Amino acid sequence: MTPRDLELSRISEGIMRGALAVVGLVLSLFTPVTDSQTSSPPPGKITLDIKTINGSGCPAGTADASADVSSDNTSFTVHYNNFAAKAGNGASAVDGRKNCQINVLVHVPAGFTFAIAEADYSGFAHVAAGASALEQANYYFTGQAATARVPHPLTGPFDGQWTAKDVADVLVYAPCGLDRNLNINAEVRANAGTSDSGATSFIEMDSSHASVDTVYQFNWKQC
């Protein structure tokens, strides 16, 4: 091999090493999140401290909403009572929109934080032909901006159980090392629309029906 050939060989090897280094950097940028960044649920029992419950669908001082954490720390469930909106057949405009805001402090072990990854709602509704109803909610930690509401509509005629799911496009975690209350503001609406004047339409989330609860799924992360 001539001196020129040796020099060209060294240059080629240098270019190849540089290319491999760049490929390695790109791969590192797109490496999936590891367990050290997104964690399994922390050990020990998570507890909820409900600070306030208030709204037209759960007046302060009543027992119209409560909450508890699942045994595996993956979710918590809110139980609503008498949370319903109705329209038609003499119902007032106030009856047609009800909301319930829960302000809750989630006690988390040191070294962990959480976000709400998913919320599953269910309830019962009777919506006359020409009428409509909807459920919607938003979520935020105190001191942060609220998420947008995503409406889940029902169009009459409808009679039976309904379900709705909110999924976080971008998870917003509670700040590490700080106690920040989680706010959940849920709302149900009913509108008589063009239904018969004697027809009543309603939508409800009411835990007196054993199959109706609202489940909020945690996403855990180590700080």
Side-chain angles (χ1 to χ4, degrees):
M1 183 179 291
T2 66
R4 178 174 174 78
D5 291 336
L6 289 172
E7 182 63 23
L8 289 174
S9 178
R10 284 195 294 270
I11 292 172
S12 297
E13 290 176 1
I15 292 173
M16 182 61 71
R17 285 195 296 270
L20 290 173
V22 171
V23 170
L25 175 60
V26 172
L27 289 175
S28 70
L29 292 175
F30 288 93
T31 298
V33 174
T34 65
D35 288 342
S36 63
Q37 293 168 295
T38 301
S39 175
S40 299
K45 180 66 176 174
I46 306 303
T47 60
L48 299 176
D49 185 7
I50 296 179
K51 297 299 184 181
T52 58
I53 297 176
N54 196 16
S56 56
C58 56
T62 67
D64 284 342
S66 60
D68 57 71
V69 182
S70 65
S71 59
D72 60 1
N73 294 337
T74 60
S75 64
F76 69 96
T77 301
V78 174
H79 316 279
Y80 294 102
N81 295 307
N82 305 314
F83 186 16
K86 64 180 180 177
N89 197 23
S92 68
V94 174
D95 295 329
R97 178 186 177 277
K98 299 292 183 179
N99 82 297
C100 185
Q101 178 154 322
I102 297 177
N103 180 286
V104 58
L105 180 61
V106 182
H107 294 282
V108 179
F112 287 86
T113 186
F114 74 96
I116 298 300
E118 182 179 294
D120 297 294
Y121 294 88
S122 63
F124 287 86
H126 173 80
V127 185
S132 62
L134 69 80
E135 176 277 328
Q136 59 185 1
N138 62 359
Y139 322 88
Y140 62 97
F141 293 102
T142 300
Q144 296 179 341
T147 61
R149 293 179 181 271
V150 178
H152 301 283
L154 290 172
T155 301
F158 178 91
D159 185 68
Q161 186 168 0
W162 58 267
T163 60
K165 182 186 295 289
D166 287 347
V167 179
D169 291 329
V170 179
L171 298 180
V172 178
Y173 287 89
C176 283
L178 297 175
D179 286 337
R180 289 287 178 87
N181 290 9
L182 172 65
N183 296 275
I184 302 168
N185 191 5
E187 178 182 348
V188 288
R189 295 189 184 192
N191 190 315
T194 61
S195 61
D196 294 340
S197 59
T200 299
S201 296
F202 69 86
I203 179 172
E204 68 176 11
M205 287 189 279
D206 188 342
S207 296
S208 62
H209 297 94
S211 60
V212 176
D213 277 318
T214 301
V215 181
Y216 299 92
Q217 304 287 341
F218 287 126
N219 203 79
W220 293 102
K221 184 173 73 172
Q222 288 185 308
C223 296

